[in-house]
Structures are given as C-alpha cells and as structure tokens.
Amino acid sequence: QVQLVESGGGLVQPGGSLKLTCSASGFTLDYYAIGWFRQAPGQEREGVSCLSTRDGKTWYSDSVKGRFTISKDSAKDTIYLQMNNVQPEDTAVYFCALDRLDYGLEYRCPQLDFGSWGQGTRVTVSA
C-alpha cells in the first residue's frame, strides 16, 4: 500500500521561504506522477504542482508559478516543494499525492486525479 508522509510545514513570514518534503513508500512502480496539493481554510483542495517521474515534466498552478519549485531526489522516492516569496494566501494544508498514471499532468493535477494521498502538513504564512 502506498504511503506518503509530508513534512516541513510551519509558520513563515510573508516573503520568506519554506521547503516541504514528501517521502513515498510501499510501491514498486518504475514511473509515476506525484505532486503537491493544498487546501486553505474554507476552500476546496487545489493542485499546486505535479511531476512525472518518466520524463520530468512538471505542471504548476498560475498562483505559484515562478515562486514554487517541485523536484525529486534522483536516488529515492522523495519529492520536495521549495516555496519562495510565500504570501498569506499560501496558507493551507499541503498534501502530497501519487498516481501510477504518469502523464496528463496539465489536466490531472488541477482535477486532483491522483489515487494515493498523504495526511498533509500545515503551512501558515503570517507576520
């Protein structure tokens, strides 16, 4: 069974940086899609950024493009979300999700079309 464990959340000031980590285990896929999603208080969950391990393609939501960077450790099933110049509207619980289908990020990521989800890590952006 796929297990996803997020870490790295916390309190950060506007304009600051934070790096989230997602450690994945419990599967034997050669390639997969993996990504970050978030849910702000009172809001629906939304896609933030996704990555295909087959070809390295990435997708970012317009709200984080240019500020956040998704990456993967080449030696293990761990991904990161480097969050720079964070703003109060980035406050949310951030979830990591994985799916065996490693294509179509541009529609599957915003549609939350991923089969396995972590428990989330909370990010609060406040002065």
Side-chain angles (χ1 to χ4, degrees), residues 24 27 29-34 51-54 72 76-79 98-102:
F27 61 97
L29 299 169
D30 290 332
Y31 302 108
Y32 52 87
I34 191 165
L51 177 148
S52 168
T53 63
R54 179 183 295 274
K72 181 184 178 298
K76 51 187 177 181
D77 296 311
T78 298
I79 65 162
L98 181 148
D99 198 88
R100 61 180 181 85
L101 299 179
D102 59 2

Side-chain angles (χ1 to χ4, degrees), residues 43-100:
Q43 306 276 333
E44 293 187 351
R45 194 171 298 189
E46 64 174 352
V48 175
S49 180
C50 295
L51 177 148
S52 168
T53 63
R54 179 183 295 274
D55 53 16
K57 286 186 177 179
T58 58
W59 176 89
Y60 292 92
S61 69
D62 288 343
S63 61
V64 307
K65 202 173 293 182
R67 299 188 298 123
F68 292 8
T69 303
I70 190 170
S71 61
K72 181 184 178 298
D73 188 312
S74 59
K76 51 187 177 181
D77 296 311
T78 298
I79 65 162
Y80 307 96
L81 186 69
Q82 178 66 47
M83 306 166 62
N84 295 330
N85 189 25
V86 295
Q87 300 300 317
E89 53 265 33
D90 296 318
T91 294
V93 177
Y94 283 72
F95 300 88
C96 177
L98 181 148
D99 198 88
R100 61 180 181 85

Side-chain angles (χ1 to χ4, degrees), residues 7-21:
S7 62
L11 175 64
V12 58
Q13 293 188 341
S17 296
L18 204 63
K19 188 172 186 177
L20 306 183
T21 299

